[in-house]
């Protein structure tokens, strides 16, 4: 005899391969706790409204509690024949408490059930991700606070541009992470509405109390249109979009860590725990973690595109296609959680080679703009100052000298506006500390920023 909960209309058993092909239990079983939580709230509401008796509701709630315990104890073997997590749990409930278990699905459909399950699950995962993001932001701030003396080359086009504080560079990533957190909070607030009560698509004939269920499950309110409630996956797409932007940030940071830990840059050292060796080259210590995070960014983008493509031509309301929303969403969640967890620790423990950064910062005529600004302050229009310093740099290149090494006569060969005090402007410290306005790299500006973040 078939175990199926929808067998009534059918005379022939489902083809075995079709059964496997259409089943989602293999991946949606991770929703079990949320499926039970949603079902319990629904059952209590049915009891409260007199749609079933309070006693029946209690039996259902207790039965579901037992099933939860069994699943957690690893005692439950899910069945492909029962297709998905919803029917696996419901069938087990009926097996356990008898026909009264069959009253749970009153006024409900798997379409609104799955919609509520994913929201509950995603909401919890988002709260975990939020805490990981906060930990990463803290690690970045810690790096910034501990290395306020370190000056590194700031780049544009990966060519030395102007010296900056390493702390400033770390805080740039903190800004990105702060925006990621804000995006996450936005999307969480937007989707925290109860879809249950939409039924299959049109609502239900029973006198349900959706507002009460919403409150029980910690939703801020109820969704306003039953068709939309069962067919909306915007929230999952928004999450994947948030995740893509976050991974793009982590990937940029990864790229820098990979470069910086190379022998050529030699700016940082990642602790051994985050690296691996080579099976052939004994000297190697490879930055696998940042490399992998950079690589995993690709699958997260892919998941976003999968979700958008999945939804783009679906007529209202529910379509079976939508079962395909889960794997990309789950994969995105796992990837983001893993990457963040490991990054927060890796960044906090990263060793900074400040001396090497400083040597690099002094190369590449990084204070050329400061000489130009100096001339401007002496009255030269900026365009002319740019020309003067351009020629000075060419002279340096041709003569193998650096800007601070030029004699006053050499400087003055390009502009007689330049005087002895030029040497106060062309050191790394002077260059950095001259950029005091909010958002600049001067030590006092960075310290002000750190103090603000502490608050
Ligand atoms: N396993 C299904 C999914 O994930 C649950 C909803 C099924 N609804 C239906 N009418 N077949 O989308």
């Amino acid at each position: 005899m078939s175990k199926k909960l929808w067998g009534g209309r059918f005379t022939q058993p489902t083809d075995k391969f079709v059964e496997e092909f259409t089943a989602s239990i293999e991946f949606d079983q991770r929703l079990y706790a949320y499926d039970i939580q949603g079902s319990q709230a629904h059952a209590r509401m049915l009891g409260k409204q007199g749609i079933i008796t309070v006693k029946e509701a209690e039996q259902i709630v207790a039965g579901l509690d037992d099933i939860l315990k069994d699943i957690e104890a690893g005692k439950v073997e899910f069945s492909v024949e029962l297709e998905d997590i919803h029917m696996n749990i419901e069938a087990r409930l009926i097996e356990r408490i008898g026909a009264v278990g069959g009253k749970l699905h009153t006024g409900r459909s798997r379409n609104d059930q799955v919609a509520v399950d994913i929201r509950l699950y995603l909401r919890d995962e988002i709260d975990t991700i939020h805490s990981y993001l906060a930990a990463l932001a803290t690690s970045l701030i810690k790096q910034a606070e501990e290395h306020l003396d370190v000056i590194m080359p700031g780049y544009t086009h990966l060519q030395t541009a102007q010296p900056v504080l390493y702390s400033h560079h770390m805080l740039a990533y903190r800004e990105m992470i702060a925006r990621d957190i804000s995006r996450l909070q936005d999307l969480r607030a937007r989707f925290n509405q109860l879809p249950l009560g939409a039924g299959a698509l049109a609502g239900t004939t029973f006198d349900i109390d959706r507002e009460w269920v919403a409150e029980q499950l910690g939703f801020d309110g109820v969704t306003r249109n039953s068709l939309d409630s069962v067919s909306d996956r915007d929230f999952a797409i928004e999450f994947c979009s948030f995740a893509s932007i976050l991974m793009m940030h982590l990937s940029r940071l990864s790229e820098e860590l990979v470069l910086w830990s190379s022998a050529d840059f030699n700016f940082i050292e990642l602790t051994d725990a985050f690296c691996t060796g080579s099976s052939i080259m004994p000297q190697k210590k490879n930055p696998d973690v940042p490399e992998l995070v950079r690589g995993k960014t690709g699958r997260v983008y892919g998941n976003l595109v999968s979700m958008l493509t999945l939804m783009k031509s679906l007529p209202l309301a529910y379509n079976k296609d939508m079962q395909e929303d889960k794997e990309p969403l789950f994969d995105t969640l796992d990837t983001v959680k893993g990457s963040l967890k490991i990054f927060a620790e890796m960044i906090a423990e990263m060793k900074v080679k400040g001396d090497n950064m400083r040597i690099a910062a002094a190369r590449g005529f990084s204070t050329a703009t400061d000489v130009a600004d100096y001339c401007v302050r002496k009255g030269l229009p900026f365009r002319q100052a740019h020309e003067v310093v351009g020629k000075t740099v060419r002279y340096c290149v041709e003569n193998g000298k650096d800007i601070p090494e030029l004699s006053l006569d050499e400087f003055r060969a390009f502009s007689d506006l330049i005087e002895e005090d030029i040497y106060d402007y062309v050191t790394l410290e002077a260059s950095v500390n001259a950029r005091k306005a909010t958002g600049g790299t001067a030590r006092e500006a960075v310290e002000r920023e750190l103090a603000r973040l502490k608050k």
Side-chain angles (χ1 to χ4, degrees):
M1 216 186 68
S2 166
K3 297 204 265 178
K4 300 238 181 320
L5 297 180
W6 42 254
R9 189 199 187 288
F10 291 75
T11 51
Q12 306 246 303
T14 324
D15 177 274
K16 273 290 155 205
F17 181 70
V18 170
E19 203 166 78
E20 267 173 48
F21 187 76
T22 53
S24 54
I25 186 62
E26 206 197 308
F27 47 86
D28 69 11
Q29 53 181 272
R30 69 161 84 186
L31 298 174
Y32 73 86
Y34 304 95
D35 192 70
I36 289 175
Q37 192 189 357
S39 289
Q40 288 181 324
H42 180 69
R44 287 196 178 101
M45 182 277 292
L46 293 177
K48 180 183 87 72
Q49 295 295 95
I51 300 167
I52 61 176
T53 68
V54 170
K55 184 158 174 283
E56 286 168 334
E58 280 166 3
Q59 279 175 279
I60 291 172
V61 169
L64 289 169
D65 271 336
D66 291 339
I67 292 172
L68 180 65
K69 279 186 208 121
D70 284 355
I71 296 175
E72 256 145 27
K75 285 194 223 153
V76 174
E77 229 184 90
F78 294 114
S79 136
V80 170
E81 213 179 319
L82 289 166
E83 196 177 319
D84 58 24
I85 188 62
H86 323 295
M87 290 196 291
N88 266 272
I89 290 177
E90 192 186 330
R92 207 170 176 89
L93 180 71
I94 295 169
E95 203 179 279
R96 204 167 180 120
I97 66 171
V100 59
K103 296 198 172 187
L104 169 61
H105 213 51
T106 312
R108 181 178 81 166
S109 151
R110 269 189 299 154
N111 298 349
D112 56 350
Q113 187 179 356
V114 71
V116 80
D117 289 7
I118 315 175
R119 284 169 196 244
L120 288 171
Y121 167 72
L122 185 59
R123 199 175 67 187
D124 253 14
E125 293 286 292
I126 281 179
D127 294 342
T128 305
I129 290 172
H130 189 164
S131 71
Y132 288 175
L133 282 166
L136 176 56
T138 305
S139 298
L140 291 163
I141 292 173
K142 177 174 176 275
Q143 279 287 334
E145 275 177 326
E146 287 175 359
H147 300 96
L148 276 163
D149 294 323
V150 174
I151 295 179
M152 65 177 284
Y155 301 94
T156 60
H157 314 264
L158 199 59
Q159 308 286 317
T160 303
Q162 291 170 354
V164 293
L165 287 193
Y166 167 76
S167 306
H168 196 51
H169 198 111
M170 287 294 109
L171 291 183
Y173 282 102
R174 201 230 53 115
E175 289 299 304
M176 298 173 223
I177 298 301
R179 288 194 298 274
D180 290 324
I181 291 177
S182 138
R183 263 184 285 275
L184 191 64
Q185 287 170 322
D186 279 355
L187 77 97
R188 186 194 189 284
R190 204 167 7 261
F191 82 70
N192 197 29
Q193 304 286 326
L194 176 84
L196 206 60
L201 74 164
T204 171
T205 56
F206 295 96
D207 176 28
I208 57 171
D209 185 347
R210 298 185 65 207
E211 283 73 13
W212 187 85
V213 177
E215 213 180 291
Q216 297 299 304
L217 293 173
F219 286 103
D220 298 328
V222 299
T223 55
R224 311 308 305 184
N225 180 295
S226 61
L227 292 165
D228 178 54
S229 304
V230 292
S231 75
D232 163 36
R233 292 293 180 273
D234 291 10
F235 61 97
I237 295 174
E238 273 196 67
F239 177 79
C240 288
S241 155
F242 145 84
S244 296
I245 297 175
L246 164 66
M247 290 303 289
M248 176 270 289
H249 290 150
L250 295 185
S251 182
R252 294 184 75 175
L253 179 52
S254 295
E255 172 71 10
E256 298 204 312
L257 299 182
V258 170
L259 286 171
W260 292 355
S261 56
S262 70
D264 310 79
F265 274 82
N266 201 15
F267 282 4
I268 57 156
E269 187 175 342
L270 298 172
T271 44
D272 287 357
F274 299 97
C275 298
T276 63
S278 157
S279 58
I280 171 167
M281 296 166 283
Q283 84 283 12
K284 295 271 276 190
K285 176 170 160 186
N286 297 325
D288 294 52
V289 167
E291 288 175 283
L292 261 181
V293 168
R294 189 176 60 188
K296 282 176 188 291
T297 303
R299 67 198 284 160
V300 171
Y301 291 1
N303 291 338
L304 171 62
V305 174
S306 291
M307 291 282 238
L308 287 167
T309 313
L310 170 67
M311 296 304 294
K312 75 179 256 298
S313 303
L314 296 186
L316 298 186
Y318 179 83
N319 299 271
K320 182 73 170 182
D321 315 45
M322 289 160 70
Q323 179 165 290
E324 288 284 310
D325 65 351
K326 285 167 206 63
E327 284 164 295
L329 178 64
F330 295 166
D331 183 68
T332 301
L333 281 162
D334 294 344
T335 307
V336 162
K337 278 195 298 180
S339 304
L340 283 174
K341 200 175 159 168
I342 207 159
F343 246 66
E345 222 183 298
M346 186 178 68
I347 296 292
E349 290 172 21
M350 185 166 86
K351 301 263 169 309
V352 176
K353 301 182 178 175
D355 294 345
N356 294 344
M357 288 189 181
R358 193 184 171 86
I359 291 166
R363 280 195 300 257
F365 314 105
S366 63
T367 55
T369 316
D370 299 274
V371 181
D373 288 355
Y374 172 96
C375 295
V376 168
R377 266 185 235 103
K378 299 268 165 157
L380 206 60
F382 183 78
R383 270 300 142 232
Q384 286 178 39
H386 189 286
E387 177 76 13
V388 164
V389 183
K391 287 185 175 141
T392 312
V393 168
R394 197 168 71 209
Y395 173 84
C396 287
V397 172
E398 283 163 0
N399 293 279
K401 293 192 172 185
D402 205 346
I403 290 179
E405 292 165 10
L406 296 180
S407 69
L408 188 56
D409 286 342
E410 285 175 305
F411 269 123
R412 289 175 65 88
F414 300 99
S415 168
D416 54 13
L417 289 171
I418 298 179
E419 292 170 84
E420 189 61 40
D421 64 345
I422 185 66
Y423 297 103
D424 298 339
Y425 292 88
V426 293
T427 67
L428 293 178
E429 267 75 14
S431 171
V432 164
N433 288 329
R435 291 164 168 82
K436 291 192 200 7
T438 303
T441 192
R443 180 165 176 147
E444 63 171 87
V446 172
E447 277 174 341
R448 270 201 315 271
E449 193 51 25
L450 280 170
R452 195 184 66 85
L453 292 175
K454 282 266 149 186
K455 274 212 259 143

